[in-house]
Amino acid sequence: MKKMVSVLMTTLLLTVPVASAFAQTSQDPVKEKAKKLASKIVSDYGASGIQYAIRDHGSVVLSGSAGVKDKAANSPVTSDTMFGIGSISKVYVTAAALKLAETNRIELDKPLITYLKDFKMADERYKKITPRMLMNHSSGLYGSHYENGFLFEDNDTKTHDELLAKLRSEHLKADPGEFSVYCNDGFQLLEILVERISGLSYSDFLKTHFSKPLDLSSTKTPRDTFDRTKLAKTYAPEIDQALPVENVNLIGTGGIYSTAEDVSKFGDVLIGNRTDILSEKSAKAMQSHEYRKGVWVPEETNTINYGLGWDAVKLAPFDDYGITALSKGGDTQMYHANLTTLPEHDISVAVLSSGGSSTFNSIMSSNILLEYLKTKGIIKEILPAKTFQPAVKVDMPSELRAYSGLYGSTGKTVNLEFKNGEVDFPALFGGLVPAQKYVYTGNRQFKNRDGNLTLSFDQAKNGNTYLKLNAYLNLPGLGQTVMVTYEYQKLDANRLDQTTKKAWEQRNGKKYYALDEKITSVGYGNQALLTQEITVNADYGYASGTKIVNPNKAVNAVAIPVMSGRDSFDLNFYKKNHTEYLTIAGQSYIHEDGIQPFSQGSSAIRSISSNGQAAWYMIDKQSAGRVLTVKAPASGGFAVYDAKGKLVNFSKISKNYSTVLPEGGLIVFGGHAGDIFKIDLKTK
């Protein structure tokens, strides 16, 4: 998800005493650590506001914040400011399904089709998928259906309602249970399962079984009625004003709003301290080392190792202290969150922010927990961050050159050449790790110059060769984190006939623009979220991480555990009225060459077609530099981008219906089928 801009901050800290003498007298080191880290995330890491809470044996022992809730009002974040918690929502829907299992209304290891009779796929293996596989990311589903899932001030349930229908034409990327790779759709299916079995909407289930009995007064969903002014404002780069409220309508996957104190209270449920809400047996089941059941990276020290719902059930660096830590991160387009719990010590911490990243929040959670454990005497000292020696290049065995070739991960392929003991490797983790050179250092490993990143090869039991990355990342002022993942899978050459090769070569570097997103979509605020750019390696027979099958079809080519294989897709192209279109996961895109110029007279009418799809136009020389004024219905809106894809105006954010048109840019209109826009175009 895209990162937000940073702002000046104010700080508000509140401590609530607990029964022990320690908690009443010895909070200062923890308060200062939390204050320092929160302020750093606001000042240097893109958060406008951040909130945190530590809960120990059921009582809040630290609750604080930094930054602002609202820039314009310069109002501080307080303990009752609400944030989106993103994928932390997954542990809520996991707990909901486990509650149903406790009363024998479902069984975790029975096929999902036992309960969802209308769940069907174009791949017979789907019949083996179980509720447990949805919870531990091992279902084999492609990953995510995001269409209309992130909307501004719009709680449309279209994504939820259409998921089963879309899955009917789709395949799996792996046998169910073969390996775990992050999968949002699994938790959407859990949400549907909870609704079908309980007879309640998912929002009502949460309210009835969790929020009311736990007094989670600030835990809501987009379908709930509540005071939305309590939500922290969100911001985007180069947009001065606050954005409209973001609704994540993938509620089971990432749609809950809450506060740090509420989330930490739910943490008590997840570690087995509220057996009136969730049994200890269910809480223990969530902590099981599910990732070990399939293909996985060999290292045990990691920040990702799935349980049921949890991202980590053996979280580094706590395993270095012999302490079990559970963690779940969450990112929407605008909000970011982390929940970390220590079940053996009945301690939980939650860190929520507007802007920033769940990675930053996770590092903060770990650091203040370690400080807290030290102050309580549970650990004697905090171990220093790991240090590394600069890489020293040695002679590379000639047989390692055989690993040169094409590698793929979701959406991309890369040609890697292991030659003369060196390899150039692309950027990782969304640019957090820049592109750089790695050199051979012995033991079949390549390291970057600083020695904190290690590449090696794994021949997994499923027959695939993976390029493994062991990364220790130091974030100045925050701390260190470790990630061990399979980043790429080696691909075999897929020879194409000349007709197929030519068809795909013509698509290389071409862009396709989304047609099915509602005009309220958060995506219109960032053109990249609505764009698919196709990269083709015709010599090897692959395109954007897919294997080319024929002139108009390519299928997912990678089966990578952990994270890099998430959100897989097939590419399907077709032509209509001489214009090429692309479909991915049931969502339609139009080829850039099929977008018509916006040239017209001083006034005209534009309308949304009967299929409700967005209407894209290219801003040509005749229109460029002129002032566009649009009279739109309440259901309609438009967005304008310059030639580099930078947002110029999005009416649903700015409420401004007049814009100077940039040459070479794009304009898109969206709304309900039949909506009419009156256009006025004048010389500036």
Side-chain angles (χ1 to χ4, degrees), residues 51-64:
Q51 179 192 75
Y52 50 90
I54 299 177
R55 189 175 295 269
D56 187 346
H57 287 80
S59 296
V60 174
V61 295
L62 179 67
S63 180

Side-chain angles (χ1 to χ4, degrees), residues 78-352:
T78 61
S79 61
D80 61 353
T81 301
M82 296 169 64
F83 296 77
I85 66 170
S87 287
I88 293 179
S89 303
K90 290 180 172 66
V91 292
Y92 289 70
V93 75
T94 300
L98 287 169
K99 280 189 71 69
L100 298 176
E102 288 175 2
T103 55
N104 298 316
R105 300 174 75 180
I106 66 170
E107 292 184 27
L108 299 192
D109 297 312
K110 275 194 172 182
L112 187 62
I113 56 174
T114 306
Y115 312 106
L116 299 182
K117 304 294 185 184
D118 50 345
F119 171 49
K120 293 179 171 61
M121 297 184 72
D123 187 323
E124 285 298 303
R125 294 177 295 175
Y126 84 94
K127 296 176 182 178
K128 299 179 181 178
I129 296 173
T130 66
R132 182 186 300 276
M133 293 174 186
L134 302 179
M135 298 174 186
N136 67 20
H137 301 278
S138 71
S139 64
L141 293 165
Y142 267 21
S144 303
H145 286 79
Y146 287 132
E147 179 187 340
N148 294 307
F150 300 81
L151 303 177
F152 284 133
E153 296 180 342
D154 184 347
N155 62 5
D156 190 344
T157 61
K158 180 180 175 70
T159 299
H160 168 279
D161 299 341
E162 295 181 352
L163 178 60
L164 290 175
K166 289 191 171 183
L167 288 174
R168 287 190 190 111
S169 62
E170 297 185 9
H171 293 78
L172 299 176
K173 61 186 170 190
D175 289 339
E178 181 182 334
F179 59 79
S180 293
V181 58
Y182 205 81
C183 178
N184 285 311
D185 281 348
F187 295 85
Q188 283 299 99
L189 287 172
L190 278 180
E191 178 185 336
I192 294 170
L193 175 65
V194 170
E195 291 182 327
R196 294 283 184 86
I197 300 301
S198 70
L200 297 172
S201 73
Y202 182 59
S203 294
D204 284 344
F205 187 96
L206 290 176
K207 192 182 307 177
T208 301
H209 294 282
F210 295 144
S211 296
K212 285 187 176 179
L214 288 166
D215 191 27
L216 303 178
S217 59
S218 296
T219 299
K220 306 292 182 182
T221 79
R223 304 298 297 173
D224 290 329
T225 299
F226 66 98
D227 182 2
R228 280 164 166 75
T229 64
K230 290 186 175 182
L231 288 165
K233 300 289 188 183
T234 61
Y235 301 88
E238 300 165 348
I239 298 177
D240 293 333
Q241 68 197 88
L243 302 176
V245 171
E246 177 194 35
N247 288 339
V248 179
N249 298 308
L250 314 162
I251 301 175
T253 290
I256 293 176
Y257 307 108
S258 194
T259 63
E261 290 189 13
D262 267 17
V263 172
S264 69
K265 185 182 286 189
F266 196 71
D268 267 357
V269 173
L270 300 175
I271 58 180
N273 288 344
R274 287 298 303 268
T275 54
D276 56 322
I277 304 296
L278 189 71
S279 72
E280 186 176 358
K281 179 181 178 182
S282 292
K284 287 288 187 184
M286 289 183 69
Q287 300 169 32
S288 60
H289 292 229
E290 296 287 318
Y291 64 98
R292 292 175 174 167
K293 294 180 177 179
V295 175
W296 195 256
V297 287
E299 276 82 359
E300 289 293 305
T301 298
N302 210 342
T303 50
I304 304 173
N305 32 56
Y306 300 122
L308 298 182
W310 292 106
D311 287 342
V313 292
K314 192 176 184 294
L315 179 68
F318 294 93
D319 51 336
D320 290 338
Y321 299 85
I323 294 173
T324 296
L326 318 172
S327 184
K328 183 74 193 84
D331 297 275
T332 72
Q333 298 285 0
M334 306 300 168
Y335 292 114
H336 310 276
N338 174 264
L339 169 65
T340 299
T341 68
L342 309 179
E344 297 160 338
H345 299 283
D346 292 338
I347 301 170
S348 299
V349 61
V351 180
L352 317 180

Side-chain angles (χ1 to χ4, degrees), residues 650-667:
F650 178 20
S651 63
K652 289 295 181 181
I653 294 176
S654 68
K655 309 303 180 185
N656 180 9
Y657 288 81
S658 185
T659 306
V660 178
L661 298 181
E663 184 175 345
L666 293 171
I667 180 169

Side-chain angles (χ1 to χ4, degrees), residues 402-416 463-467 487-495 535 537 539-548 555-560:
Y403 285 100
S404 297
L406 192 71
Y407 287 75
S409 62
T410 298
K412 57 188 175 183
T413 53
V414 58
N415 251 317
L416 297 177
N464 292 331
T465 297
Y466 295 115
L467 195 56
E487 280 299 308
Y488 285 93
Q489 176 184 329
K490 196 170 192 305
L491 302 176
D492 295 327
N494 172 40
R495 301 303 177 192
T535 57
N537 187 314
D539 291 335
Y540 273 88
Y542 292 86
S544 298
T546 62
K547 183 178 182 179
I548 297 170
V555 298
N556 171 61
V558 297
I560 307 177

